[in-house]
Structures are given as structure tokens and as C-alpha cells.
């Protein structure tokens, strides 16, 4: 059984910076378990709200399902006991279900559900995909909205009503109007996670919309900086914008955060 209830995990994830560790490989591109575990121990010395094993930064799409299970097991064995571990699930529905079950067996506390592979889906198709995964596991689930997985507020409301262990929404698209509509319909029912590749740059506009946390790849390399920046944003610290000298505003130019749609900023996602 997971160490966190769905409500506890949602509250925990929304309380601080989220760690997305890289996955280590040997020269022949096999999973380097010792190096990965060493890195998890290093990152575990810092105060983060959750650790996402084998996520996008952690080479999810470069790993076989068996390797993903090994990475998740290494994370659960090496991270501090009070740090929740979320595992990935994705590709086709049957594969996502199998990965969800592997994550449970590996001791994960939750899942990050990636978009179905490549295929464009209707709202109803996405709903059926999420339903099947939710019904296959007791783990808490965070949906990753990105690429072909664009969830409507109506879809999310129906799923949230049906599955109490569906706890979160990670945005990898950057459509501020869509996030606003989703938040207005679901409020605090979900924990909202910023998932753009430049998450630090958009931390403030996210915060204004109720997105209280984000995934940080920078944390792998500059953990002190990443945490200091996150805590400063949460504390409401500001400095003058580069094009707005008359008032304190935010850590990035006003010309950037003034845009209603951040999708162009995320067009370089891998």
C-alpha cells in the first residue's frame, strides 16, 4: 500500500519543488544503477516535495518497460523515506496499465500518466484511456497534459468525480486560458504542476493561476539555486522587469509573462 493517501500526496506535491532526476547510463547505454542511486542519495539531502523517477528528464521514452521498473525500484530504495516517489506510465493503454502495476510492485507512491504514444485522441478517447489506468491501480495519479493529450475541463471534471485517486494535473502545453478554465472548474480538487521545459521562467505566471509547484530539471545540476529561486517565488519576492522600471514585477520580462499563451515557449520540447 502507498505510504500517502491521495489527499496527503496531493498536499505534499503542492508544498515544494519537484525533483525530476536524470537517469544514468553506462558507456554501452545500459542503466547504471549504482550511479543513479548515488545521485538520488545526493538529491535526497535537499528538501523537495516529491521525486519523479524515469520521468521526461529521466529518459522515460528511452527506457524499456523493464528498465523503467528498475529505475523506479532504485529510486524507492535510495530516496529518503518521507519523500514520495512517482513512477511513469504511458504508451498504449495496455502498456500503461502494466507499468502502473510494475510501479506498485516497486513501492512507488503515485504515477505520472504520460500521453498515449503518437496517436491523436478525442476527448472521449483520452477519457477512456485514463479510466482504464485509474481502474487498474490504487496508486495516486497525476495526468500529464502535453502534445496529443489535451484534456478539456469537462473531461477532467468527470474523471475527478469518478476517481478520488486522480489527484493532479501537470501542464506541459502552456495555454494559460486553458489552465484558468480548468482551475475555475476544479479548484483545489487537483494539485497543479508546471511542466514546461522552462518551468522556472514561468514560475510566477503559473503561481498567479494557482499552479504552486513545478518540475525542475535544473535541480539535478544546481540544487541550491533551484530551491532558492523556488522559495523566492513562493515568498512573493520581485525585482523590476527589464521593460518596466516603475514597479516591481517578477523575475522575468513583462513582455514574456504578458503573453496569454506560452505554447511558443514550449515548442522546443524533446
Amino acid at each position: 500500500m502507498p505510504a500517502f493517501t491521495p489527499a496527503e500526496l496531493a498536499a505534499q506535491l503542492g508544498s515544494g519543488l519537484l525533483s525530476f532526476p536524470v537517469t544514468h547510463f553506462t558507456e554501452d547505454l545500459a542503466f547504471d544503477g549504482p550511479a543513479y542511486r548515488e545521485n538520488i542519495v545526493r538529491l535526497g539531502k535537499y528538501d523537495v516535495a516529491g521525486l519523479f523517477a524515469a520521468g521526461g528528464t529521466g529518459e522515460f521514452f528511452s527506457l524499456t518497460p523493464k528498465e523503467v521498473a528498475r529505475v523506479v525500484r532504485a529510486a524507492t530504495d535510495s530516496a529518503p523515506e518521507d519523500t514520495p516517489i512517482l513512477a511513469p506510465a504511458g504508451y498504449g493503454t495496455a502498456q500503461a496499465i502494466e507499468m502502473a502495476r510494475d510501479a506498485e510492485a516497486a513501492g512507488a507512491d503515485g504515477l505520472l500518466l504520460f500521453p498515449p504514444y503518437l496517436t491523436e485522441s478525442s476527448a472521449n478517447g483520452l477519457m477512456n484511456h485514463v479510466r482504464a489506468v485509474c481502474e487498474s491501480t490504487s496508486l495516486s495519479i497525476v495526468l500529464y497534459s502535453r502534445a496529443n493529450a489535451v484534456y478539456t475541463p469537462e473531461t477532467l471534471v468527470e474523471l475527478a468525480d469518478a476517481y478520488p485517486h486522480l489527484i493532479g494535473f501537470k501542464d506541459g502545453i502552456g495555454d494559460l486560458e486553458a489552465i484558468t478554465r480548468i482551475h475555475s472548474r476544479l479548484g483545489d480538487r487537483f494539485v497543479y504542476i508546471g511542466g514546461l521545459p522552462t518551468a522556472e521562467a514561468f514560475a510566477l505566471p503559473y503561481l498567479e493561476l494557482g499552479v504552486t509547484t513545478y518540475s525542475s530539471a535544473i535541480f539535478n545540476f544546481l540544487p541550491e539555486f533551484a530551491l532558492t529561486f523556488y522559495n523566492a517565488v513562493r515568498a512573493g519576492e520581485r525585482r523590476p522587469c527589464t521593460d518596466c522600471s516603475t514597479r516591481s514585477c517578477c523575475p522575468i520580462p513583462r513582455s514574456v509573462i504578458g503573453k496569454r499563451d506560452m505554447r511558443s515557449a514550449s515548442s522546443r520540447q524533446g
Side-chain angles (χ1 to χ4, degrees), residues 14 23 116 158 194 200 206 213 234:
T23 298
E158 187 167 341
E200 271 83 5
Y206 268 139
T213 187
R234 287 295 297 267

Side-chain angles (χ1 to χ4, degrees), residues 154-197:
E154 294 74 21
T155 296
L156 294 174
V157 168
E158 187 167 341
L159 289 169
D161 288 344
Y163 303 105
H165 62 306
L166 183 62
I167 64 168
F169 178 84
K170 180 181 177 183
D171 171 58
I173 297 174
D175 186 338
L176 296 184
E177 290 186 358
I179 298 172
T180 300
R181 291 193 298 270
I182 290 168
H183 191 272
S184 68
R185 293 290 300 276
L186 286 137
D188 295 335
R189 171 61 180 81
F190 279 166
V191 57
Y192 301 91
I193 299 171
L196 291 175

Side-chain angles (χ1 to χ4, degrees), residues 115 120 145-150 172-173 269:
E120 299 295 332
S145 180
R146 177 173 175 171
N148 57 312
V150 180
I173 297 174
Q269 297 180 81

Side-chain angles (χ1 to χ4, degrees), residues 6-224:
E8 290 171 343
L9 183 58
Q12 172 68 16
L13 295 178
S15 68
L17 188 68
L18 300 178
S19 172
F20 279 65
V22 296
T23 298
H24 295 67
F25 297 93
T26 62
E27 290 187 0
D28 61 354
L29 300 183
F31 171 53
D32 189 339
Y36 181 80
R37 291 170 185 268
E38 182 179 346
N39 189 47
I40 296 300
V41 171
R42 178 181 69 89
L43 297 179
K45 297 176 182 179
Y46 298 93
D47 185 19
V48 294
L51 186 153
F52 288 68
T57 301
E59 301 291 342
F60 169 65
F61 292 108
S62 300
L63 299 167
T64 68
K66 289 184 179 179
E67 286 175 322
V68 169
R70 290 177 58 201
V71 172
V72 174
R73 173 64 71 181
T76 59
D77 288 345
S78 306
E81 290 187 2
D82 59 349
T83 300
I85 307 298
L86 279 81
Y91 303 112
T93 304
Q95 183 65 73
I97 289 172
E98 184 175 323
M99 296 179 84
R101 291 171 176 164
D102 287 345
E104 283 198 67
D109 297 290
L111 292 174
L112 178 62
L113 183 55
F114 280 78
Y117 175 71
L118 192 61
T119 307
E120 299 295 332
S121 302
S122 65
N124 190 56
L126 283 173
M127 182 180 297
N128 289 337
H129 175 72
V130 176
R131 282 185 180 276
V133 177
C134 285
E135 291 172 4
S136 73
T137 181
S138 63
L139 293 178
S140 298
I141 297 174
V142 175
L143 297 181
Y144 194 176
S145 180
R146 177 173 175 171
N148 57 312
V150 180
Y151 296 94
T152 66
E154 294 74 21
T155 296
L156 294 174
V157 168
E158 187 167 341
L159 289 169
D161 288 344
Y163 303 105
H165 62 306
L166 183 62
I167 64 168
F169 178 84
K170 180 181 177 183
D171 171 58
I173 297 174
D175 186 338
L176 296 184
E177 290 186 358
I179 298 172
T180 300
R181 291 193 298 270
I182 290 168
H183 191 272
S184 68
R185 293 290 300 276
L186 286 137
D188 295 335
R189 171 61 180 81
F190 279 166
V191 57
Y192 301 91
I193 299 171
L196 291 175
T198 50
E200 271 83 5
F202 294 103
L204 185 65
Y206 268 139
L207 185 63
E208 297 296 330
L209 296 175
V211 182
T212 59
T213 187
Y214 53 82
S215 56
S216 177
I218 292 176
F219 181 74
N220 281 282
F221 312 104
L222 298 169
E224 293 90 352

